Amino acid sequence: MRILIGILSELSHERRLERMAESLRRAGHELRVTWVDNGTHPPSSAWPKAELIRLPNARAGRRKSYFARFMRQWYRLLHEERPQAVLAIDPPALGPAALAKARLGYRLIYDSREYYIELPTVRSRPVIRGIWRCIEGYGIRRSDSAFSVCSSIARELERLYGVRNVGVVRNMPGYSYNRDSVHDRRRLQQLLPELGDGPVLLYQGGFWPGYDFAPLLRMLGKLAGNAARSQLVLLGDGPGAAALRELRDTLPWKERVHIPGKVRSDLLPELTRGADLGLIPIPDLGLSYRYILPNKLFEYLQAGLPLLASPLPELQAIIEQRDLGRCVSPQDESALASAVTQLLDPAWRVAREEAFARAALDLCWEEEESRLLECFRS
């Protein structure tokens, strides 16, 4: 089947979409994917050039109309390509795809990567929120199938738009768990030659508005015993990076905080194996954040890391039910310090070896991709 995938992205860090595309290729489908050329971030090497369709940078010019420019370009492309099936990712791609479907007659599959109308930048603007809600509702009711990244968002979409059978395709990496390679620090030490020999607390992701990493940095001063030697490594970039480095430089233990910036996504699995604890300090900024189930959770599991996360429902359902770590407020320095001390205890981790091995086996893309393929078959 000829599948056209529409997404407003430069395709530089779309790990989930890369895995989905590879699964569809292996199933015998022919793919074409939109690539929004923003002039700064080229697509990752995972994308064959032959299947990319370059769209001009929709952000060029007036920022307020860049969504409209992308949607117009995408609508024209649908008529030019005339695919047999369309995978529309998020409302900006869904709206035009639902409009064109009536004339072109393709199968339409909707992928809701996040609770779009509950994003902080959307929910705080009632008129904009209402527009996206109308677009998403119009599109999902005309889709042949739809899925999201977690069951909470899938159930919200069903309730909000009166649709049924919204599926779940979680954002999971491939299976790579190897208990013999846990805590292999070679790649992490190559990236950070100044890294100390204490336990490594790792965060990978963005430094976005609303995220507050200050309690994590200050928490290092509350640790005792072996945990007092802990090194905090924050891999990523974003609007808050400069302020975070400024805060780091004011702390007496600044040499134990490492903020090297963004790293290539294909290097993350090896870097993650060098850590001792995986951090997911996500703020509760509305339903889109509350229901988050990020890729980093599953990457930490494949690396065998104990997990310290915010007490959000989707995170708690995996971490606490499987006894893989702790969920505490990312603002509570004392609770963070207590949890780090517990999770760095070698006896705690050894007692749960089988739980970690089972979680890595259950929560990987090899187990998840059948859900994706079913959306194209059903």
Side-chain angles (χ1 to χ4, degrees), residues 143-177:
S143 299
D144 295 285
S145 61
F147 58 87
S148 187
V149 292
C150 70
S151 59
S152 294
I153 296 178
R155 302 295 79 80
E156 283 292 313
L157 294 176
E158 291 176 343
R159 179 193 63 81
L160 191 62
Y161 301 119
V163 297
R164 299 174 61 191
N165 301 324
V166 176
V168 176
V169 179
R170 291 172 292 184
N171 189 5
M172 295 180 176
Y175 179 76
S176 61
Y177 182 77

Side-chain angles (χ1 to χ4, degrees), residues 40-240:
T40 57
H41 295 96
S44 77
S45 58
W47 295 105
K49 291 183 179 179
E51 69 184 26
L52 296 184
I53 303 174
R54 178 187 173 275
L55 297 179
N57 183 8
R59 293 179 182 270
R62 294 182 61 219
R63 178 175 176 81
K64 290 185 177 180
S65 60
Y66 82 86
F67 281 112
R69 285 196 292 273
F70 167 77
M71 294 166 78
R72 187 168 58 248
Q73 295 165 4
W74 169 231
Y75 183 78
R76 285 200 301 262
L77 181 64
L78 288 163
H79 287 78
E80 294 169 3
E81 291 287 317
R82 295 187 171 272
Q84 295 172 301
V86 171
L87 175 60
I89 299 177
D90 292 336
L94 177 63
L99 277 174
K101 180 188 176 185
R103 175 177 294 183
L104 300 179
Y106 46 68
R107 287 176 49 74
L108 177 58
I109 297 92
Y110 177 43
D111 176 13
S112 174
R113 296 185 302 172
E114 50 202 348
Y115 198 178
Y116 200 86
I117 65 169
E118 288 293 329
L119 289 170
T121 55
V122 175
R123 66 192 295 265
S124 62
R125 304 158 70 190
V127 173
I128 299 299
R129 185 180 188 273
I131 292 172
W132 285 124
R133 177 171 174 168
C134 289
I135 290 173
E136 187 171 48
Y138 173 85
I140 198 171
R141 293 187 188 104
R142 287 156 180 80
S143 299
D144 295 285
S145 61
F147 58 87
S148 187
V149 292
C150 70
S151 59
S152 294
I153 296 178
R155 302 295 79 80
E156 283 292 313
L157 294 176
E158 291 176 343
R159 179 193 63 81
L160 191 62
Y161 301 119
V163 297
R164 299 174 61 191
N165 301 324
V166 176
V168 176
V169 179
R170 291 172 292 184
N171 189 5
M172 295 180 176
Y175 179 76
S176 61
Y177 182 77
N178 182 347
R179 68 184 69 191
D180 294 331
S181 67
V182 171
H183 310 317
D184 182 352
R185 293 219 176 154
R186 286 171 294 180
R187 180 67 66 142
L188 197 56
Q189 287 172 330
Q190 288 173 8
L191 176 69
L192 298 168
E194 72 280 11
L195 187 67
D197 60 357
V200 173
L201 318 180
L202 175 68
Y203 169 80
Q204 56 184 58
F207 309 133
W208 306 116
Y211 277 61
D212 183 9
F213 293 89
L216 268 179
L217 270 64
R218 291 194 292 263
M219 174 272 298
L220 290 180
K222 296 179 178 290
L223 297 173
N226 182 57
R229 300 164 48 245
S230 294
Q231 309 280 308
L232 178 61
V233 177
L234 306 172
L235 295 179
D237 206 350

Side-chain angles (χ1 to χ4, degrees), residues 182-183 185 197-202 219-220 222-232 256 274-279 304-308 324-326 335-352 356:
V182 171
H183 310 317
R185 293 219 176 154
D197 60 357
V200 173
L201 318 180
L202 175 68
M219 174 272 298
L220 290 180
K222 296 179 178 290
L223 297 173
N226 182 57
R229 300 164 48 245
S230 294
Q231 309 280 308
L232 178 61
R256 293 162 51 204
D276 298 276
L277 177 63
L279 301 169
L305 303 188
L307 304 168
L308 177 55
L324 302 171
R326 293 274 306 277
L336 288 169
S338 174
V340 167
T341 300
Q342 178 189 20
L343 298 177
L344 290 181
D345 182 352
W348 185 95
R349 177 62 179 79
V350 169
R352 292 158 180 80
F356 277 87

